[in-house]
Amino acid sequence: MKRLLLPILLLAVLVMPAQNPWVGGLNACQFGRMDFNEDGRKDLIVFDRHGDRLLCFLNQGSEGEIRYEYTSAYDAAFPKLNAWAVFADYDGDGKEDLFTYSKGWAGIKVYRNVSVQGHPEFEPVVSPYLTSWQGGGEVNILATDADYPAIVDLDGDGDLDLLTFGVMGTFIEKHLNLSMERYGCRDSLTFERTDQCWGRVAENDENNVMYLDTCLFGYGLTVAKDDFRHRGATVTVRDMNGDGLMDLLLADVDYPGLTLLTNGGDADNALMVSQTERFPQSYPVQLPSMPVPFFTDINNDGIDDLLVSPFDPNLMASAGTESVWLYLNHGTNEIPDFQLYTKSFLQDQMIDIGKGAYPVFTDWDGDGLMDLKVKDFEGGFTVFKNVGTALQPAFEQVSQAEDVASEWTAQCYFDVDQDGLVDLVEGNVNGKLTFYKGHANGFEWITDFWGAVDVCDHSSSYYGYSVPTLFCYQDQLLLCVGSEQGKLFLYRVSEDAAFEEVGDLWEAICPTMPESFGIHSAAALADLNGDGVLEVVVGNFAGGLQLFNAEIPVNNLGISEQQDDLEVLVFPNPVSSSLHVISTGSSLRIMDLCGRIVREQEISSSETILDVSDLPSGAYLLSLTLYRGLVNRIFLKR
């Protein structure tokens, strides 16, 4: 009986809808806690520095249960954050305040939490930067976008002190909060630098080597003459062995793990006496670069657990679909025992394909329903099949194709001039658009600056990463262009050299659409449920998707058991001579875009190599006959 029951239970898991499918993915996260809805449970704040996206998750779990539900209702209440955020109650009112990087000032901004009756609200109290008394004057507390500071009560008097790397980047500075000493309360941010070598520990600025019982200020250490500034590190302090002293967790740029340094000093003078390079010892953290830890109770058992995610600002320094590691604490708050629970906390309940998500609606399997095909930044594809109906769509992940792209492009096929032939619009890294007019024998290049569209933010980047999408709205042909900066640009297509930007139309097309989606935005639009309203799916560099104008379930975020039967892979694309077709079909035919058959043959193996060197340059339709029907793919012949 048990053997028969197990497959039934597994099937029930596979078709269960994901809890938060349309959140938008996660890459390099920091975390905070706050009771948004005043139900007595601390909810979860996630800040992803890859795009400076802030996400709010309501804690819906009971004691011992992990269950968080994303809600966008509170996101807009938070101020704009840059690079990093620390959520900590500095004034003792029971509400977490907000510390964040002050862009352009190498300092720290502070916002006080003035929320009332479940409505988050923040007011700035320190801007442009936090200061401390240093050497006879008030000086900016140095904080960069590459270092994560520790803001915590170090001396046990109730107010929040601060640890951060100094100018040389080798030693940790202690800035003591004098609020309690001077005013008898903790509601002030009055700091004095009291230690330039907290913990008597130094870090080599060329690697992650730690020197204990050392305050040489450069002597005996390897310091680059041309650049002595430290390149990046995360600093976290917590008593890890129950002796009442703050120990130190440190991570360094370009290194994947956490180092635990044990404090053997006293309450007034920290002294790091030993180090454990691979933390936690049960299963050491192994993330691409500079992980940042966060301690909080995730499973509602009253004991702090451990969350870890990359901190490196480099967009490629992400662990993709395994960017948020959760360790549950099997010990106590005083003597923790962290055991790895998942490498995809929250990510396993949302669509997240890794780095970048460029969605396109297409009838992938020829069943008459619009499926969702998503390309990632490195050229791979993920397909979400529409397993619902024409009026009630539902998606299910059914395949991951391999990485087949050699360079980044974003292509859109559409009959722009309504001559019955499909044209090609191609997005480029430079932020402009290339237009190819469709002809019976292929495509003709027309311009590399179609519509005078340029979505590059030249004040901050040399790149634009334009992603075009064409659609019709109220008898108008509109062009939506995603961008590196995260904005979705909207243009009215015309015969004029420069298209008119009509961003105000977004309010009518999609009233709930935000102004930005982080970075590397891309959109797909279609009426999926036949209600006359366009559904909008937007991807971003975090590898996830956001859905607007509808509620569509995603039944399975794993791979279907039938993936081998469903997978069709056609590469390279574009192709010069040999086209590889991986499929379990029985026959194929190649047609030009006028419907003329130019090649037809049976399939005798799972991989077919076609010589297409004799075909004229242009776009072609590859039609495969599978057991479930026809599957079509478009490829370009150079």
Side-chain angles (χ1 to χ4, degrees):
M1 180 62 70
K2 289 183 180 178
R3 292 183 179 177
L4 292 176
L5 181 60
L6 181 59
I8 296 174
L9 292 176
L10 288 176
L11 180 60
V13 172
L14 287 175
V15 298
M16 184 178 296
Q19 188 168 349
N20 301 294
W22 304 105
V23 173
L26 300 174
N27 266 9
C29 301
Q30 303 135 46
F31 304 90
R33 300 309 293 262
M34 189 178 299
D35 187 358
F36 300 129
N37 54 2
E38 296 187 346
D39 65 352
R41 291 178 292 190
K42 290 290 186 181
D43 305 303
L44 186 63
I45 309 167
V46 181
F47 175 65
D48 190 340
R49 72 168 300 165
H50 286 179
D52 292 335
R53 298 167 58 237
L54 184 138
L55 306 167
C56 296
F57 291 82
L58 289 176
N59 185 355
Q60 305 284 28
S62 55
E63 183 177 353
E65 182 185 14
I66 302 174
R67 189 159 67 94
Y68 291 87
E69 180 180 328
Y70 171 70
T71 174
S72 61
Y74 305 106
D75 295 355
F78 288 81
K80 175 65 175 176
L81 306 180
N82 294 109
W84 57 261
V86 174
F87 299 87
D89 178 14
Y90 82 83
D91 56 4
D93 64 357
K95 296 180 289 189
E96 289 77 8
D97 306 300
L98 175 56
F99 299 76
T100 189
Y101 172 63
S102 185
K103 189 175 182 180
W105 295 95
I108 301 172
K109 291 192 294 186
V110 185
Y111 295 86
R112 182 170 178 261
N113 188 338
V114 293
S115 306
V116 292
Q117 298 180 344
H119 297 284
E121 185 177 350
F122 297 85
E123 64 177 18
V125 291
V126 175
S127 184
Y129 49 77
L130 194 62
T131 65
S132 72
W133 186 264
Q134 305 178 42
E138 291 288 337
V139 180
N140 173 29
I141 298 176
L142 180 68
T144 75
D145 61 349
D147 294 319
Y148 191 72
I151 302 176
V152 66
D153 182 9
L154 293 171
D155 56 3
D157 65 353
D159 54 25
L160 297 182
D161 310 303
L162 194 148
L163 295 177
T164 187
F165 274 99
V167 174
M168 291 187 63
T170 300
F171 307 99
I172 300 173
E173 294 185 346
K174 174 183 175 181
H175 298 268
L176 186 69
N177 193 339
L178 302 177
S179 182
M180 289 298 297
E181 288 86 348
R182 291 187 178 180
Y183 313 116
C185 60
R186 57 178 291 185
D187 62 355
S188 298
L189 295 167
T190 305
F191 292 93
E192 179 182 359
R193 188 179 66 187
T194 60
D195 196 337
Q196 297 184 63
C197 186
W198 183 83
R200 294 186 62 82
V201 61
E203 183 178 29
N204 192 311
D205 77 330
E206 293 186 344
N207 53 49
N208 66 339
V209 173
M210 303 302 302
Y211 301 90
L212 303 183
D213 197 14
T214 301
C215 284
L216 299 178
F217 295 94
Y219 297 102
L221 303 180
T222 303
V223 179
K225 294 180 180 180
D226 57 342
D227 182 11
F228 54 79
R229 176 71 192 106
H230 188 268
R231 295 174 298 160
T234 65
V235 178
T236 307
V237 292
R238 181 184 174 91
D239 182 5
M240 301 297 296
N241 56 11
D243 64 358
L245 300 176
M246 288 294 186
D247 304 306
L248 172 64
L249 277 168
L250 194 69
D252 198 75
V253 67
D254 295 333
Y255 292 90
L258 286 170
T259 298
L260 172 63
L261 295 101
T262 302
N263 190 349
D266 55 41
D268 298 319
N269 298 287
L271 174 63
M272 301 302 150
V273 295
S274 65
Q275 58 181 308
T276 303
E277 293 185 0
R278 293 168 59 81
F279 177 88
Q281 289 184 305
S282 62
Y283 194 103
V285 171
Q286 187 77 13
L287 287 165
S289 176
M290 199 166 33
V292 58
F294 180 73
F295 298 94
T296 191
D297 180 13
I298 292 296
N299 61 353
N300 298 292
D301 65 354
I303 302 173
D304 284 349
D305 306 300
L306 171 64
L307 288 171
V308 190
S309 187
F311 182 73
D312 198 313
N314 180 0
L315 294 181
M316 302 312 293
S318 164
T321 59
E322 295 184 339
S323 292
V324 183
W325 290 25
L326 169 60
Y327 293 81
L328 294 182
N329 189 350
H330 291 209
T332 64
N333 283 329
E334 292 73 24
I335 304 179
D337 175 18
F338 296 115
Q339 300 291 328
L340 182 66
Y341 177 77
T342 178
K343 295 182 181 180
S344 306
F345 175 61
L346 299 178
Q347 291 179 282
D348 56 10
Q349 283 295 311
M350 66 180 71
I351 295 174
D352 191 336
I353 64 171
K355 304 181 186 83
Y358 304 95
V360 174
F361 286 121
T362 180
D363 186 0
W364 173 74
D365 55 0
D367 65 355
L369 299 176
M370 279 295 183
D371 308 302
L372 187 58
K373 185 177 181 180
V374 188
K375 177 183 177 182
D376 63 40
F377 189 78
E378 297 169 313
F381 290 93
T382 302
V383 175
F384 295 87
K385 174 178 166 56
N386 190 342
V387 295
T389 67
L391 300 180
Q392 293 182 315
F395 291 108
E396 179 174 305
Q397 183 176 341
V398 294
S399 75
Q400 290 180 314
E402 296 292 329
D403 181 359
V404 297
S406 58
E407 59 181 301
W408 190 93
T409 58
Q411 297 173 335
C412 174
Y413 295 90
F414 197 93
D415 185 2
V416 175
D417 51 12
Q418 298 184 10
D419 62 354
L421 297 173
V422 174
D423 307 301
L424 170 62
V425 181
E426 188 171 77
N428 302 292
V429 172
N430 64 14
K432 300 176 182 179
L433 299 176
T434 301
F435 180 71
Y436 299 86
K437 178 173 173 53
H439 292 287
N441 60 348
F443 289 102
E444 175 192 3
W445 174 88
I446 301 297
T447 177
D448 284 329
F449 198 19
W450 190 49
V453 170
D454 184 356
V455 298
C456 178
D457 181 1
H458 295 275
S459 65
S460 60
S461 177
Y462 296 108
Y463 307 105
Y465 287 94
S466 53
V467 183
T469 302
L470 287 154
F471 65 100
C472 293
Y473 176 76
Q474 294 182 347
D475 297 325
Q476 303 176 80
L477 178 56
L478 300 180
L479 168 69
C480 169
V481 187
S483 63
E484 182 189 49
Q485 61 181 287
K487 177 181 175 181
L488 288 181
F489 292 81
L490 191 63
Y491 301 90
R492 181 180 289 113
V493 178
S494 65
E495 296 181 356
D496 298 331
F499 295 163
E500 177 188 3
E501 188 172 356
V502 289
D504 291 345
L505 275 179
W506 280 130
E507 179 64 27
I509 297 171
C510 186
T512 59
M513 179 177 290
E515 293 183 0
S516 178
F517 299 88
I519 50 177
H520 287 270
S521 58
L525 299 93
D527 183 2
L528 297 175
N529 54 12
D531 63 355
V533 176
L534 288 172
E535 280 70 57
V536 184
V537 169
V538 183
N540 61 63
F541 195 82
L545 303 174
Q546 293 174 266
L547 172 68
F548 301 93
N549 287 350
E551 293 183 7
I552 301 176
V554 179
N555 292 335
N556 178 20
L557 292 176
I559 301 297
S560 167
E561 292 180 351
Q562 296 182 346
Q563 63 170 341
D564 292 336
D565 292 331
L566 293 173
E567 181 176 294
V568 173
L569 192 60
V570 178
F571 66 94
N573 190 4
V575 60
S576 298
S577 57
S578 297
L579 184 69
H580 295 248
V581 180
I582 296 178
S583 166
T584 56
S586 60
S587 64
L588 64 82
R589 63 174 53 179
I590 297 176
M591 295 175 285
D592 62 24
L593 294 184
C594 291
R596 293 186 289 261
I597 298 174
V598 297
R599 185 74 51 79
E600 191 170 17
Q601 70 179 63
E602 299 297 314
I603 297 177
S604 58
S605 65
S606 60
E607 181 173 6
T608 303
I609 301 177
L610 301 174
D611 181 6
V612 295
S613 58
D614 60 326
L615 295 181
S617 298
Y620 293 88
L621 180 69
L622 176 69
S623 183
L624 295 150
T625 302
L626 306 185
Y627 72 92
R628 68 183 186 281
L630 294 178
V631 171
N632 298 318
R633 296 286 186 269
I634 291 179
F635 70 90
L636 292 179
K637 168 64 171 59
R638 286 173 172 168

